[in-house]
Amino acid sequence: MNNTVAIIGRPNVGKSTLFNRLVGERKAIVDNISGVTRDRIYGISEWNGKTFNVIDTGGFVTNSEEIFEKEIRKQVHLAIQEANVLLFVVDAVVGITDLEQDITNMLRKSNKQVLLVVNKVDNTSRMYQASEFYGLGFEKVFFIASISGSGTGELLDAIVPFIEMPVENLSENIPRIAILGQPNVGKSSMVNMLMGVERNIVTDIAGTTRDSIHSHYKLFQKEFVLIDTAGIRKKAKVNEDLEFYSVIRAVKALDEADICILMLDAKMGLEKQDLSILSMAEKKRKGVVLVVNKWDLIEKATNTMKEMEDDIRKKIAPFKDIPIIFTSVTEKQRVFKVIETALEVQENRKRVINEKELNEKMLKSIEQFPHPSVRGSFLEVKSVVQVPATTPTFIFWVNFPNDVKASYRQFLDNQLRTHFKFTGVPLNLFFRKK
């Protein structure tokens, strides 16, 4: 299943502003300077009950017009290859340029769904100007002003029919485990060790693994599918087109997986990009295991496991209930413990709590630490029930469901984890009036 929407177009047409509008967060850097989006940005959008990935291909900063056009072509080719819906963004103020014609020619050769998005249409005069874009020959044309949100609802309505709903194959009970992380942290080496065969090329060159590789493991009463992905690259150190390619692959691998093994380099610790992967896994409600690899290279006198673990848990708060394992793949230290832990997390993800026990323990905790009063009235939790879902989901029946504070929601999440084993699993908590 591929539910990826890629935003393409030349720089400074408003791709990043549209991205922010679609995912509901101000994640991209937005500026009037052409090509200011240096990062490959990915996010998750939800509309009419369907969830999909959004990739902002960004612009380029370069002095050479020739290289500039070459890089945009690479981005469009990769987006065409990897996404199933393409938003071709153009600028109503500037009109059609040679680059738009160039991109149009590439898109005509693809069999992907293309939606032409004419941006910066915020008055009648610009709507009149924008009509020239019908000349590009696309069937689906949308006039929007992404900075105000005008027209984006209609655009989302048009995207949704091309998004597949995830289908749970009930006969397929084999856990799917994605190994994610930055380049050169040891992902492919771990797969090779577990499989007992050189499935991937392993070198010291960051980003050697280009595609995700699926490996079926069935030994020692354990069965699962390992998904090894291309590393998510540091922005300034590698070719931007390869990094964009790897991000889409990693996002898609996470969509396929039940559990995410996020591998870190012990020397580098938890970095910003690792937090991005963790956030993506949590939003997609996947189980998580953190693995600190290359622990054999750390000078034990300067850093202990407990110190590093404490530091990591501070950085990943509030979702701190995640197993952290220190390994050395080359020394074969605790590698099989990683898989055992991942399978335990999958069991936690499928855990169903007896309703009587759930209410006894949770209502007692709530009685001891009640919610602050709301407009002079007590906020009363009457009962809690677990409902069937792919990740543990609980409904709390309360008298003021819209007034539950975020801090109290976190308290209830912590109490569920205290009383029942949900380590490594994001929980869904909903509040309803009864």
Side-chain angles (χ1 to χ4, degrees), residues 52-68:
F52 53 94
N53 305 309
V54 183
I55 306 284
D56 178 11
T57 58
F60 290 88
V61 177
T62 176
N63 296 321
S64 166
E65 192 64 27
E66 186 180 343
I67 295 173
F68 179 75

Side-chain angles (χ1 to χ4, degrees), residues 294-337:
K294 305 185 183 180
W295 186 246
D296 57 307
L297 303 180
I298 297 296
E299 191 68 46
K300 302 304 182 287
T302 59
N303 206 342
T304 66
M305 281 187 191
K306 182 165 190 319
E307 286 171 338
M308 181 169 273
E309 183 176 331
D310 289 346
D311 181 59
I312 289 172
R313 292 199 189 280
K314 280 181 193 170
K315 289 178 179 175
I316 65 176
F319 185 28
K320 297 189 290 185
D321 188 21
I322 295 175
I324 300 175
I325 302 169
F326 293 80
T327 66
S328 167
V329 174
T330 54
E331 299 290 322
K332 300 184 178 180
Q333 292 178 352
R334 292 178 288 277
V335 173
F336 288 97
K337 185 181 178 185

Side-chain angles (χ1 to χ4, degrees), residues 129-147:
Q129 287 176 261
S131 62
E132 73 166 299
F133 285 98
Y134 282 114
L136 291 176
F138 290 100
E139 181 187 349
K140 299 181 187 298
V141 183
F142 298 86
F143 301 96
I144 71 164
S146 57
I147 199 160

Side-chain angles (χ1 to χ4, degrees), residues 103-154:
I103 293 171
T104 297
N105 291 336
M106 284 187 275
L107 292 174
R108 281 207 181 102
K109 296 172 187 173
S110 77
N111 59 356
K112 297 296 175 76
Q113 183 60 48
V114 180
L115 307 182
L116 179 63
V117 182
V118 187
N119 193 24
K120 306 182 185 177
V121 182
D122 49 14
N123 57 47
T124 309
S125 170
R126 287 191 177 175
M127 176 62 94
Y128 178 75
Q129 287 176 261
S131 62
E132 73 166 299
F133 285 98
Y134 282 114
L136 291 176
F138 290 100
E139 181 187 349
K140 299 181 187 298
V141 183
F142 298 86
F143 301 96
I144 71 164
S146 57
I147 199 160
S148 67
S150 172
T152 51
E154 290 85 351

Side-chain angles (χ1 to χ4, degrees), residues 171-419:
S171 63
E172 182 64 88
N173 292 316
I174 304 172
R176 293 152 298 177
I177 303 170
I179 302 183
L180 299 179
Q182 295 191 48
N184 215 24
V185 294
K187 299 185 301 298
S188 296
S189 297
M190 175 172 280
V191 173
N192 290 342
M193 182 180 167
L194 290 168
M195 303 308 296
V197 62
E198 292 284 321
R199 291 299 302 271
N200 304 325
I201 301 164
V202 180
T203 72
D204 286 332
I205 302 166
T208 303
T209 309
R210 290 283 298 275
D211 292 343
S212 59
I213 296 173
H214 293 57
S215 306
H216 188 191
Y217 182 101
K218 192 174 183 181
L219 284 171
F220 310 114
Q221 287 81 49
K222 289 181 172 59
E223 185 175 12
F224 53 87
V225 172
L226 274 183
I227 308 169
D228 176 28
T229 64
I232 295 182
R233 293 160 168 74
K234 286 194 173 181
K235 312 299 193 249
K237 295 188 179 178
V238 294
N239 292 332
E240 301 206 13
D241 59 317
L242 287 180
E243 183 232 323
F244 173 53
Y245 186 87
S246 77
V247 166
I248 293 185
R249 288 287 166 143
V251 170
K252 285 160 68 176
L254 197 51
D255 281 338
E256 291 180 54
D258 302 304
I259 307 295
C260 164
I261 293 177
L262 175 54
M263 291 187 73
L264 318 176
D265 186 318
K267 284 187 171 180
M268 307 304 294
L270 187 80
E271 297 187 294
K272 184 181 176 183
Q273 279 178 285
D274 302 313
L275 283 169
S276 295
I277 302 171
L278 184 63
S279 172
M280 184 165 60
E282 186 182 358
K283 280 182 182 175
K284 291 178 179 288
R285 292 301 188 244
K286 307 297 182 179
V288 178
V289 178
L290 277 179
V291 174
V292 184
N293 192 32
K294 305 185 183 180
W295 186 246
D296 57 307
L297 303 180
I298 297 296
E299 191 68 46
K300 302 304 182 287
T302 59
N303 206 342
T304 66
M305 281 187 191
K306 182 165 190 319
E307 286 171 338
M308 181 169 273
E309 183 176 331
D310 289 346
D311 181 59
I312 289 172
R313 292 199 189 280
K314 280 181 193 170
K315 289 178 179 175
I316 65 176
F319 185 28
K320 297 189 290 185
D321 188 21
I322 295 175
I324 300 175
I325 302 169
F326 293 80
T327 66
S328 167
V329 174
T330 54
E331 299 290 322
K332 300 184 178 180
Q333 292 178 352
R334 292 178 288 277
V335 173
F336 288 97
K337 185 181 178 185
V338 172
I339 294 302
E340 287 174 1
T341 305
L343 294 175
E344 285 173 11
V345 168
Q346 175 64 354
E347 288 303 309
N348 295 346
R349 199 164 173 257
K350 296 191 295 183
R351 192 174 308 286
V352 177
I353 308 301
N354 173 274
E355 189 169 337
K356 184 182 177 185
E357 185 184 6
L358 176 64
N359 277 273
E360 279 178 0
K361 291 187 174 177
M362 289 303 295
L363 293 180
K364 185 176 181 182
S365 295
I366 290 164
E367 187 182 344
Q368 291 172 340
F369 297 95
H371 188 284
S373 62
V374 176
R375 297 181 295 277
S377 302
F378 288 112
L379 188 144
E380 185 183 356
V381 180
K382 300 176 187 295
S383 63
V384 55
V385 61
Q386 184 176 4
V387 294
T390 53
T391 196
T393 300
F394 300 90
I395 293 177
F396 288 82
W397 299 101
V398 299
N399 53 346
F400 301 115
N402 297 327
D403 295 301
V404 179
K405 294 182 180 293
S407 57
Y408 202 74
R409 177 188 290 266
Q410 189 59 53
F411 164 75
L412 294 174
D413 185 291
N414 291 339
Q415 289 303 305
L416 285 166
R417 295 178 186 283
T418 299
H419 296 303

